[in-house]
Amino acid sequence: AESAEVVGLIEQNRASFGICLLRSMPKALDARVLYREFFGLYCGPRHRLFARREIAMADLRGEPSVSFQTELDGGPLDAVTRLRERAKLAPGLRGVSANLPEIRRMIIANIGIGALPVHVAERDVKLGLLRQLPPLTRLPAIDIFLLSNPRRKLAAAEAALLARFHAVIAEHPLEERT
C-alpha cells in the first residue's frame, strides 16, 4: 500500500503495524526509523547518456523524467525533488507512479530519467539495465519507518514480530541498517 494508506490504516486501528515513508510524525503512533536509503538518478539502456563514457551534471539539464507520487507536493520524498532540481531536469513529468517497479520499468523503457534507491538499483546496474547518473555524492537520504499503534491489542504472533523489529532497531545502529 502507499505510505499515506499505511498511516491511515494504523491510525484507524485497522492494521497492526506497517513500513512506510512519513511526511510528518503522527502524534498518537509509534514511529521508528527501520532503515535509511539513498536515492540516485538513473537512465535506461536506450537513453542517449547510457553508453557515454563521462557524464557531467550539465548533461542532465532539460532531460525528461519520471517520478514517484510521494515525491510531489512536498511529500516524504521531497529531498528527491531537490535532487531533480539540482540536476536541472525538464519541468513537468513524463510519468508518475506510487509503485517502485513501475518507476524502474519507465526508466528502463526510456520514458525519462528517474530516481531510485541506490541499493534497489544496484542489481540492475550490474545487469546493464540501468546506469547511475550524476550526482554520485550528497545523495538524498530517505528514512523508512516502522509504524505501529501502541493502543492496538496485538495477537501473540504480531506482538512477537513487532518486538523482534524493535529489538533489531535497538541492537543495531542506523548505519548498520542502512
Side-chain angles (χ1 to χ4, degrees):
E2 291 182 37
S3 293
E5 186 179 348
V6 171
V7 173
L9 289 169
I10 294 169
E11 283 177 334
Q12 296 163 17
N13 206 17
R14 293 175 45 211
S16 300
F17 50 89
I19 297 171
C20 61
L21 301 166
L22 289 177
R23 178 183 291 194
S24 60
M25 291 297 172
K27 291 183 173 89
L29 302 179
D30 180 43
R32 301 178 193 203
V33 177
L34 185 58
Y35 64 94
R36 179 171 289 151
E37 56 189 11
F38 293 88
F39 278 73
L41 294 174
Y42 294 88
C43 70
R46 296 188 334 204
H47 193 276
R48 68 177 187 85
L49 297 175
F50 189 85
R52 190 182 284 182
R53 189 177 188 132
E54 298 285 327
I55 302 172
M57 201 62 168
D59 295 326
L60 277 67
R61 178 185 292 254
E63 286 292 325
S65 62
V66 298
S67 171
F68 285 98
Q69 182 66 42
T70 50
E71 191 182 326
L72 306 175
D73 304 325
L77 292 179
D78 187 54
V80 176
T81 300
R82 289 194 302 278
L83 173 65
R84 182 182 311 287
E85 291 167 352
R86 201 166 115 204
K88 296 184 173 39
L89 297 177
L93 298 166
R94 283 205 177 157
V96 177
S97 178
N99 183 286
L100 189 143
E102 182 63 14
I103 294 291
R104 175 190 168 273
R105 185 198 66 75
M106 287 191 278
I107 296 167
I108 291 171
N110 199 30
I111 293 171
I113 289 172
L116 293 169
V118 173
H119 73 283
V120 170
E122 184 177 30
R123 180 176 178 266
D124 287 328
V125 169
K126 288 178 183 170
L127 292 172
L129 296 172
L130 293 173
R131 172 153 185 204
Q132 188 171 0
L133 301 168
L136 302 176
T137 60
R138 293 185 16 221
L139 298 176
I142 305 295
D143 290 338
I144 307 300
F145 290 87
L146 173 65
L147 193 64
S148 62
N149 189 335
R151 296 179 316 274
R152 183 177 176 93
K153 178 96 167 117
L154 300 175
E158 293 172 325
L161 182 57
L162 189 58
R164 184 66 191 126
F165 271 125
H166 289 170
V168 167
I169 290 169
E171 293 166 7
H172 300 278
L174 181 57
E175 294 74 29
E176 286 181 22
R177 302 188 321 264
T178 295

